[in-house]
Amino acid sequence: MTAEPVTTSQPSTAAQAPPTVRASLSPSRAADFKTCPLLYRFRSIDRLPERTTIEQARGTLVHAVLERLFDLPATDRTPEAAGDLVAPQWDRMVTEQPELAAIFDGAEPAGPVEFLRSAAGLLQGYFAVEDPTRLEPAERESLISAVVDEELLIRGYLDRLDVAPDGALRVVDYKTGGAPREAFEARALFQLKFYALVLWRTRGVVPRVLRLLYLRDAEVLDYTPDADELVRFERTVVALWRAIEQATARQDFRPRPSRLCDWCSHQALCPSFGGTPPPFPVAAANADPLRDSRSTPVAPGADE
């Protein structure tokens, strides 16, 4: 990767008192609220359980394999080596989260076999768009965070961060779904702009490229942000959080039906489908209902 880094002066924080962080927001939960405020409530306030789907588990598995692939020497990062990592990484995931074994309940006998085969197929899509023998990522599955508006912590996991010799940054995100449709592309770019804002605020560098790799269809989508755009995006994130605060204070999270409803786990509780949400939960005395519901952001691949 070669590109001139885009930098802007950032106020020094060395002499400033640390900010008082009273809330946090991940790109996944922010996107939930943008997509459907009621979905945000179900996930972040009611904290309703959601069973992991086969698609989500496959996404997490592929992300894990691609992370481990770069542990190998460059010359060993071959399609065959990636394929050899699939079964061991799945075994590790099931050992750490035994409930994952239940995703095949009711599936045909070939379910687990087909699952691993399909994950290996997605890895073939990766090799069709990138040559990992020519890459040395600076960071993989890295948790990054920054404080905006003095009290809101924004954070998330980068799939991969590449740093060029001249300091230019490229944020890479793996997508195991199909080629982008409008709704999913907008959500994916929102996520990457979120990461770009964090990197800019913490490192003083606007990423040169935000890259989406769609493995199923072997497609690449590149986007180039600029500082002015990230200033506007920061205002959007803060305004979004203010809207979440207001909705929480009013206990008013309304559904917003869309094509994405087809993938929602909570239709039985949604008024748009004839359901009734549970009573609004009363926060425990030592809990902040405005905090992101997860102690860490969602696992890479799990939201796909």
Side-chain angles (χ1 to χ4, degrees), residues 30-293:
D32 284 345
F33 189 82
K34 280 171 56 68
T35 299
C36 175
L38 186 58
L39 176 62
Y40 174 90
R41 181 200 145 170
F42 286 157
R43 285 178 167 171
S44 294
I45 296 178
D46 296 286
R47 306 185 186 187
L48 299 180
E50 295 183 11
R51 180 175 174 176
T52 300
T53 67
I54 289 178
E55 290 75 18
Q56 289 170 334
R58 182 165 45 232
T60 303
L61 173 58
V62 169
H63 279 74
V65 169
L66 289 174
E67 180 185 9
R68 298 299 186 274
L69 182 68
F70 284 99
D71 288 336
L72 301 176
T75 55
D76 293 344
R77 298 171 195 161
T78 63
E80 294 75 21
D84 289 342
L85 288 169
V86 172
Q89 284 304 306
W90 176 243
D91 290 343
R92 177 191 60 79
M93 288 171 57
V94 173
T95 298
E96 294 174 358
Q97 298 175 272
E99 66 274 14
L100 287 176
I103 66 173
F104 303 115
D105 289 353
E108 295 296 325
V113 175
E114 173 59 24
F115 173 78
L116 296 179
R117 188 202 65 77
S118 63
L122 289 171
L123 292 167
Q124 295 299 315
Y126 168 73
F127 282 91
V129 294
E130 273 196 339
D131 179 1
T133 66
R134 302 178 63 185
L135 298 169
E136 289 299 338
E139 298 178 28
R140 290 170 281 145
E141 308 298 357
S142 176
L143 177 62
I144 60 172
S145 63
V147 175
V148 297
D149 198 38
E150 298 184 345
E151 59 183 10
L152 175 62
L153 180 72
I154 58 174
R155 57 184 181 163
Y157 276 104
L158 294 174
D159 286 352
R160 199 179 85 215
L161 181 66
D162 300 334
V163 180
D166 62 5
L169 305 181
R170 178 171 64 198
V171 178
V172 179
D173 196 71
Y174 309 123
K175 296 298 179 186
T176 53
R181 289 175 286 177
E182 182 178 354
F184 294 102
E185 181 178 332
R187 183 182 176 107
L189 285 176
F190 178 87
Q191 177 184 12
L192 289 188
K193 289 178 185 179
F194 211 97
Y195 298 152
L197 174 59
V198 172
L199 291 169
W200 181 43
R201 287 305 186 198
T202 56
R203 307 186 190 193
V205 179
V206 175
R208 177 65 182 85
V209 177
L210 306 179
R211 173 165 291 179
L212 292 161
L213 300 182
Y214 288 91
L215 308 187
R216 179 173 298 171
D217 297 310
E219 292 191 12
V220 179
L221 174 64
D222 281 348
Y223 185 83
T224 300
D226 59 41
D228 289 341
E229 180 180 13
L230 293 184
V231 169
R232 294 191 297 270
F233 185 76
E234 182 173 1
R235 295 192 190 110
T236 297
V237 170
V238 172
L240 185 65
W241 182 250
R242 297 294 179 224
I244 292 173
E245 286 186 310
Q246 292 175 8
T248 304
R250 298 170 181 169
Q251 300 184 10
D252 183 12
F253 289 85
R254 301 183 184 185
R256 184 176 298 149
S258 72
R259 293 176 295 170
L260 299 176
C261 292
D262 293 342
W263 290 270
C264 183
S265 300
H266 308 297
Q267 288 187 8
L269 298 173
C270 179
S272 295
F273 294 87
T276 302
F280 199 85
V282 177
N286 62 347
D288 181 355
L290 297 179
R291 283 190 175 274
D292 193 298
S293 67

